[in-house]
Amino acid sequence: MFAEEPIYEQLARIGKALSGPVRLRLLDVLDQRERTVEELARAAGVPLKNTSAQLQQLRAAHLVTSRRDGTRVYYRLADESVSRFLGAFQAFAGERLADLRGAVSDRLGDLEGVTADELAARLADPSTLVLDVRSAADYAAGHVPGAVSVPMAELRDRLGELPASAEIVAYCGGPYCVVSPEAVRVLRAHGRSARPLDGGYLAWRRDGKPLER
């Protein structure tokens, strides 16, 4: 054993915690708001037992923490530094891995998006409508100031509530969420001007932009 091996073994704990795609997905989901194990399993599309096992590995690496409320246990990211790290990690991976960029393009399509900085500059513009297509619970936990909540499942039935002349910026959860691109396609198919927010809600929050709750 070389002298520094115990140090690198400790560093490797973070790498091991991030080595599973399910755990990475759970971290992105938890970065939006705290959730129970059952909620996490549904959001990530993972069996409940597997979700619990993955959470224990994330807890062991001090990436998530939990609290108990009666019989329910709620999980959340350990602190804001985990969120910043995830954002930097995803950006770094996107720069290095052409396969990742290809996978993102295959999932999200080639829609031209609006950056968080661009949207921040347009929030006071009355011709811009910010549309949050996440669940009502996600919206209540935190959203872009002035955003209108229309969950994706309700969008087609509620198109008449949206001003026809508005330039719509739609967003969902994170950088790999397919819901807002889908919403943009629905809006455009009905003659609306719409673009997605690059990186979704997490890009906005990780950039330190203001939130409403």
Side-chain angles (χ1 to χ4, degrees):
M1 177 186 294
F2 53 91
E4 299 89 348
E5 185 170 346
I7 296 173
Y8 288 105
E9 285 179 348
Q10 293 304 311
L11 286 173
R13 291 174 62 190
I14 300 295
K16 289 177 182 178
L18 299 176
S19 66
V22 171
R23 291 191 290 277
L24 290 171
R25 168 66 174 149
L26 292 174
L27 289 170
D28 263 357
V29 172
L30 285 173
D31 204 355
Q32 297 178 57
R33 64 177 173 91
E34 69 174 10
R35 301 174 196 255
T36 65
V37 180
E38 293 79 10
E39 289 173 326
L40 282 167
R42 287 194 298 270
V46 180
L48 185 62
K49 185 176 181 179
N50 189 18
T51 301
S52 296
Q54 304 292 344
L55 287 168
Q56 295 314 308
Q57 294 189 55
L58 293 172
R59 282 191 66 177
H62 303 286
L63 296 176
V64 305
T65 187
S66 64
R67 67 176 180 88
R68 182 175 292 276
D69 184 5
T71 60
R72 292 176 174 251
V73 177
Y74 289 84
Y75 285 85
R76 63 184 183 276
L77 293 191
D79 51 51
E80 280 299 311
S81 66
V82 179
S83 178
R84 293 192 296 271
F85 172 77
L86 290 171
F89 171 71
Q90 290 168 351
F92 179 79
E95 292 171 357
R96 295 283 168 165
L97 301 175
D99 287 346
L100 173 58
R101 295 193 296 274
V104 171
S105 178
D106 288 344
R107 291 284 289 169
L108 305 186
D110 56 358
L111 294 171
E112 180 185 356
V114 175
T115 68
D117 286 340
E118 290 172 331
L119 180 57
R122 295 174 57 181
L123 285 184
D125 183 351
S127 67
T128 298
L129 175 70
V130 185
L131 189 66
D132 188 320
V133 294
R134 301 175 301 155
S135 70
D138 288 340
Y139 177 85
H143 55 268
V144 175
V148 175
S149 175
V150 181
M152 184 62 207
E154 304 172 12
L155 181 59
R156 288 178 173 83
D157 294 332
R158 297 176 59 186
L159 285 170
E161 300 176 20
L162 307 177
S165 61
E167 293 185 77
I168 299 174
V169 178
Y171 70 88
C172 52
Y176 312 126
C177 176
V178 300
V179 179
S180 58
E182 180 186 351
V184 166
R185 294 185 183 97
V186 169
L187 290 163
R188 290 183 177 182
H190 287 81
R192 305 302 180 92
S193 174
R195 288 196 288 165
L197 173 62
D198 287 340
Y201 171 77
L202 289 185
W204 179 270
R205 196 174 72 75
R206 288 168 177 170
D207 201 39
K209 297 291 190 289
L211 296 173
E212 285 183 350
R213 292 183 170 85

